[in-house]
Amino acid sequence: MRIFQAMKISASGLTAERFRLDLIASNVANVNTTRTEQGGPYRRKTAVFAERLDEASRAGGGVRVAAVSVDRSEPRLVFEPEHPDADAAGYVAYPNINIVQEMVDMITATRAYEANVTAFNASKSMFLKALEIGRG
Amino acid sequence: MKVSPINPFIPAYLQRPAVSQDLPAGGATDFGQMLRQALGEVNKLQQNADVAAKKLVLGEAEDVHQVMIAMEQARLALQLTVQVRNKLVEAYQEISRMQI
């Protein structure tokens, strides 16, 4: 039903923000990971969002996750010669994750999620207000 | 003595349902059909909510918000249906109270 378009858009935003939080959780969990499938340390992951098109609606269809981008910046080198993954000079490549930045991203993801819930509730109360037309 | 028939109170052109002639054949604007279609959509939303709740209980749901949204949409659609019904009943009672 077209009357639920705003709710559909809010739902897409909720899904996108939840996915972003998944990636942040993965980044935080892997902050000390030195081994991955591709070899080398874990690399920070971020979500790339794209607008979702909807032919039926001029307001569009919300947002979708277009890709997961991998941060290619240099890994953090720590001198730990006794570590099994240390290189010849005794340095271990740790993931390029800054935990403070991840925390800030987590807050923005949480707040964006809340904003989408607020937008959803606003469209719901508009719907309920419309049902009151002609009453009383 | 010849009794003349009572003249129809309502003009003849109003007695005929005007809808059947003016609209193209096969149009979906028949009120009953429209109502049935709307009810079908409401029913579909209710079933969606049922499926979503079942998935949540079974631990298969991907997102909690999808479940909540499905249930909320079902609730709102049902409220809309109830309002439409109220209007219909109101109109019917208005007519049935009419003095003849």
Side-chain angles (χ1 to χ4, degrees):
Chain A
M1 271 196 248
R2 287 292 304 282
I3 40 173
F4 290 136
Q5 184 68 22
M7 295 183 182
K8 226 171 89 183
I9 292 171
S10 294
S12 77
L14 290 170
T15 308
E17 292 303 331
R18 202 223 40 159
F19 182 75
R20 193 148 80 98
L21 197 65
D22 284 358
L23 289 183
I24 294 166
S26 168
N27 289 344
V28 171
N30 285 299
V31 71
N32 288 319
T33 304
T34 54
R35 292 176 189 183
T36 53
E37 292 278 317
Q38 299 83 30
Y42 178 88
R43 288 180 184 275
R44 179 169 173 265
K45 291 193 180 85
T46 47
V48 180
F49 289 171
E51 187 188 13
R52 185 188 297 214
L53 291 175
D54 190 341
E55 296 299 326
S57 164
R58 289 173 71 189
V63 65
R64 66 185 170 86
V65 179
V68 176
S69 87
V70 178
D71 192 340
R72 289 277 163 213
S73 59
E74 285 300 304
R76 184 161 46 93
L77 291 176
V78 179
F79 185 65
E80 275 180 31
E82 72 282 3
H83 197 289
D85 293 329
D87 61 8
Y91 282 95
V92 180
Y94 277 106
N96 50 358
I97 293 167
N98 182 354
I99 199 79
V100 179
Q101 192 182 348
E102 296 307 317
M103 281 296 165
V104 174
D105 282 353
M106 199 189 292
I107 292 167
T108 58
T110 312
R111 293 288 176 260
Y113 194 90
E114 285 171 11
N116 277 302
V117 172
T118 308
F120 180 89
N121 284 338
S123 70
K124 194 186 95 180
S125 57
M126 274 171 85
F127 185 99
L128 288 173
K129 268 290 164 222
L131 291 185
E132 285 178 26
I133 290 175
R135 190 190 289 171
Chain B
M1 185 185 141
K2 192 182 170 251
V3 182
S4 60
I6 303 164
N7 282 334
F9 175 66
I10 305 166
Y13 64 88
L14 280 182
Q15 286 179 329
R16 237 182 297 124
V19 188
S20 57
Q21 288 168 348
D22 296 342
L23 289 168
T29 31
D30 182 350
F31 180 71
Q33 205 175 331
M34 200 179 79
L35 196 66
R36 205 170 304 132
Q37 203 179 331
L39 280 177
E41 248 174 271
V42 172
N43 189 37
K44 208 172 71 191
L45 286 170
Q46 296 284 350
Q47 284 168 347
N48 280 354
D50 270 354
V51 170
K54 204 175 281 175
K55 272 190 179 172
L56 183 71
V57 173
L58 293 174
E60 290 168 4
E62 210 168 285
D63 288 314
V64 184
H65 62 256
Q66 300 285 13
V67 180
M68 292 307 291
I69 286 169
M71 293 203 283
E72 207 57 40
Q73 283 185 345
R75 194 173 74 93
L76 290 173
L78 187 68
Q79 285 194 3
L80 178 65
T81 314
V82 169
Q83 287 299 327
V84 170
R85 187 213 61 157
N86 287 350
K87 291 271 184 281
L88 280 173
V89 170
E90 220 173 87
Y92 169 75
Q93 283 177 343
E94 198 69 40
I95 290 168
S96 74
R97 273 200 300 271
M98 204 176 277
Q99 295 284 332
I100 301 168

